[in-house]
Amino acid sequence: MKTLPDIRLRAIEPEDLDLLYRIENDRELWNVGTTNVPYSRYTLHDYLATSCDDIYADKQVRMVIENGEGVTVGLADIVHFDPQHQRAETGIVILNNHRRRGYALAALTELNDYALRVLHLHQLYAVVKTDNDAARQLFSEAGFSVQTTMKDWLFDGRQFYDAWLMQSFL
């Protein structure tokens, strides 16, 4: 297995508002995820202020990824948390200037461990656009496998795209 860089997943703080705003409003990321609308600072500030930091109440947890020097390199999410069926969706964003350094794989490895040992989940899953080879490779390296192709699953406002459902059984 690859040697992964040191990272830390930490709770999102009010001071992370600018980071959250930048990521949520990055149109390039809209084409690889399920969000395709801009978020206002007010909406994101309200999210940060009202989040309980309890995955059972919020049905999601967002964490900041920091490298070994304490520099923020991205965000990791666990969303659509379903305690009854012991599963959740995961997603990850690494900031452009920190990509291809192993941070995403290290973060997904930490998320898998957190999901198993703390949340007691049976599986994590991800929705990956079929032409996103980098994401497919990343999730595969983290123990996810393609289970099915979902036709016309993602829409960018002009066109539909197929996506894979990738799962990791913990």
Side-chain angles (χ1 to χ4, degrees):
M1 184 171 171
K2 290 182 179 180
T3 301
L4 299 176
D6 288 334
I7 59 113
R8 179 174 80 109
L9 299 177
R10 67 162 173 82
I12 198 162
E13 300 285 351
E15 295 79 20
D16 297 312
L17 177 61
D18 288 338
L19 170 70
L20 192 59
Y21 182 80
R22 185 171 28 143
I23 287 174
E24 292 294 349
N25 290 293
D26 184 341
R27 290 179 180 263
E28 289 181 25
L29 297 175
W30 292 356
N31 292 332
V32 297
T34 58
T35 298
N36 60 0
V37 295
Y39 285 93
S40 69
R41 280 189 191 282
Y42 176 81
T43 298
L44 296 172
H45 180 272
D46 190 51
Y47 162 76
L48 291 173
T50 60
S51 175
C52 306
D53 291 330
D54 178 354
I55 194 166
Y56 290 92
D58 295 336
K59 301 297 183 216
Q60 67 177 343
V61 63
R62 304 189 86 177
M63 293 178 270
V64 172
I65 307 164
E66 291 183 344
N67 67 14
E69 291 79 46
V71 174
T72 297
V73 298
L75 289 177
D77 297 331
I78 294 178
V79 298
H80 304 133
F81 174 64
D82 186 337
Q84 177 184 355
H85 300 293
Q86 297 176 293
R87 67 175 172 244
E89 182 177 354
T90 189
I92 189 162
V93 175
I94 301 297
L95 300 171
N96 285 340
N97 55 331
H98 296 287
R99 290 185 181 161
R100 304 212 183 280
R101 298 184 190 172
Y103 295 130
L105 182 56
L108 282 173
T109 301
E110 291 281 327
L111 278 177
N112 275 349
D113 187 62
Y114 174 76
L116 174 65
R117 298 185 194 289
V118 177
L119 301 177
H120 308 290
L121 295 182
H122 173 63
Q123 65 179 286
L124 286 176
Y125 65 92
V127 175
V128 176
K129 193 173 163 194
T130 56
D131 67 357
N132 190 340
D133 293 329
R136 184 198 46 77
Q137 182 177 344
L138 166 67
F139 281 98
S140 292
E141 286 183 51
F144 290 71
S145 59
V146 173
Q147 298 301 312
T148 193
T149 300
M150 299 178 292
K151 296 291 184 186
D152 292 346
W153 196 256
L154 301 172
F155 184 65
D156 69 0
R158 295 182 304 264
Q159 170 177 350
F160 285 95
Y161 298 92
D162 296 347
W164 288 311
L165 174 69
M166 298 187 73
Q167 290 175 294
S168 174
F169 294 95
L170 307 171

